[in-house]
Amino acid sequence: MEAQIFVHGHRVDDRRGQLPVRAGAEPYGTRPLTAITQVVIHYSGVDRDDSAQAMALYQTTKQGGDLFPALAYHFVVHQNGEIEQCHHLATHTWHAGEPANTTGIAVCLPMLNGPSEAQLAAATTLRGALEVRLGRQLAVKGHSDFMATACPGPGWRQWRERLLGPPAPGGAREGLVGGVPVRWAFWDWYRRLEGLRPGLCGSPDGPHRLLGGGDAAQEFASCTLLWSEQRMWVGWKQFPGA
Ligand SMILES: [Zn+2]
């Protein structure tokens, strides 16, 4: 079982294995995670912020077109920035034909005329989280990059650029690690990934201190990082004067 995706600053509800499926249909197969090279964006095409449950019910009961065995999308990103994870990344869903189905993570934004700011921020941060999980950069495509379709909606070429940017800060999260005040710096740390070795935050790897709950702190010359068993890792940086 894959760990649920942790997306900093955005609630992620785990719907895996809980959404409606088509009666009597062969379930989706699986694919190796190494096959994944891109995120493929979709929209719902209706002027409502539909839940994954509602979209799954529609897709698995309709009798025309593709007879989806289950919801097409791995993730649904809502207008308020909340996210639903609907399948494992390894699930081979139907959403944009081949080879996109094998190589893509399907992300649906329920909307008609363009995503909200919170949707864009959540989708961008989700992309970053998926890249961290998979350990590589992912291309960002729209359904219409693979076939003639209105999906993912008007203005796609313009708002696609937003999804390629750094994850939105999402509001500072502060706390104490070993009594030291630290402030969230997800992207600051993330963008250093390529420069991490040798030496992280200006020093060789320091020792881990277990904090309980699966978390561990690792201290360096210029920062403290907080790692989590449950959430892969989370990054913290100590700011001067914080
Ligand atoms: Zn689509």
Side-chain angles (χ1 to χ4, degrees):
M1 173 110 165
E2 292 174 17
Q4 189 186 342
I5 288 289
F6 173 75
V7 182
H8 170 60
H10 298 275
R11 174 177 167 152
V12 182
D13 287 316
D14 191 357
R15 306 290 186 219
R16 293 174 296 174
Q18 298 169 29
L19 296 171
V21 296
R22 182 176 296 272
E26 184 79 12
Y28 287 134
T30 59
R31 58 182 173 177
L33 294 181
T34 51
I36 299 171
T37 59
Q38 56 193 343
V39 171
V40 181
I41 304 295
H42 298 264
Y43 82 149
S44 64
V46 292
D47 195 12
R48 292 191 307 267
D49 192 6
D50 280 335
S51 64
Q53 171 80 22
M55 286 193 276
L57 191 62
Y58 169 73
Q59 291 185 340
T60 59
T61 56
K62 74 188 186 77
Q63 295 302 317
D66 290 326
L67 301 180
F68 296 95
L71 182 66
Y73 316 117
H74 294 88
F75 294 92
V76 175
V77 177
H78 290 286
Q79 293 173 11
N80 65 357
E82 293 185 357
I83 297 169
E84 295 182 271
Q85 180 169 4
C86 307
H87 294 291
H88 299 302
L89 304 186
T91 300
H92 179 268
T93 72
W94 303 349
H95 60 99
E98 292 300 350
N101 291 348
T102 296
T103 59
I105 295 172
V107 176
C108 182
L109 281 50
M111 55 89 175
L112 176 60
N113 290 318
S116 70
E117 278 300 310
Q119 261 174 322
L120 284 172
T124 303
T125 308
L126 172 61
R127 192 215 79 230
L130 292 168
E131 289 179 339
V132 170
R133 171 66 64 91
L134 294 169
R136 57 187 175 274
Q137 279 203 309
L138 300 173
V140 177
K141 299 284 178 61
H143 190 174
S144 58
D145 292 325
F146 299 100
M147 57 186 66
T149 170
C151 184
W156 158 241
R157 283 283 143 205
Q158 286 74 53
W159 53 267
R160 173 178 177 274
E161 297 304 313
R162 288 285 306 279
L163 303 178
L164 299 172
R173 176 178 149 186
E174 301 188 30
L176 294 173
V177 174
V180 177
V182 290
R183 190 174 296 163
W184 186 264
F186 177 95
W187 177 247
D188 183 69
W189 190 77
Y190 173 64
R191 70 186 170 78
R192 294 173 185 224
L193 272 176
E194 287 184 28
L196 283 182
R197 292 178 185 79
L200 180 65
C201 297
S203 80
D205 282 4
H208 286 75
R209 255 181 326 108
L210 297 178
L211 301 176
D215 290 347
Q218 196 175 11
E219 280 153 21
F220 300 89
S222 62
C223 71
T224 300
L225 298 184
L226 183 64
W227 302 80
S228 170
E229 289 283 322
Q230 304 299 321
R231 301 174 300 198
M232 301 296 286
W233 56 265
V234 289
W236 298 72
K237 179 182 180 184
Q238 184 177 352
F239 284 72

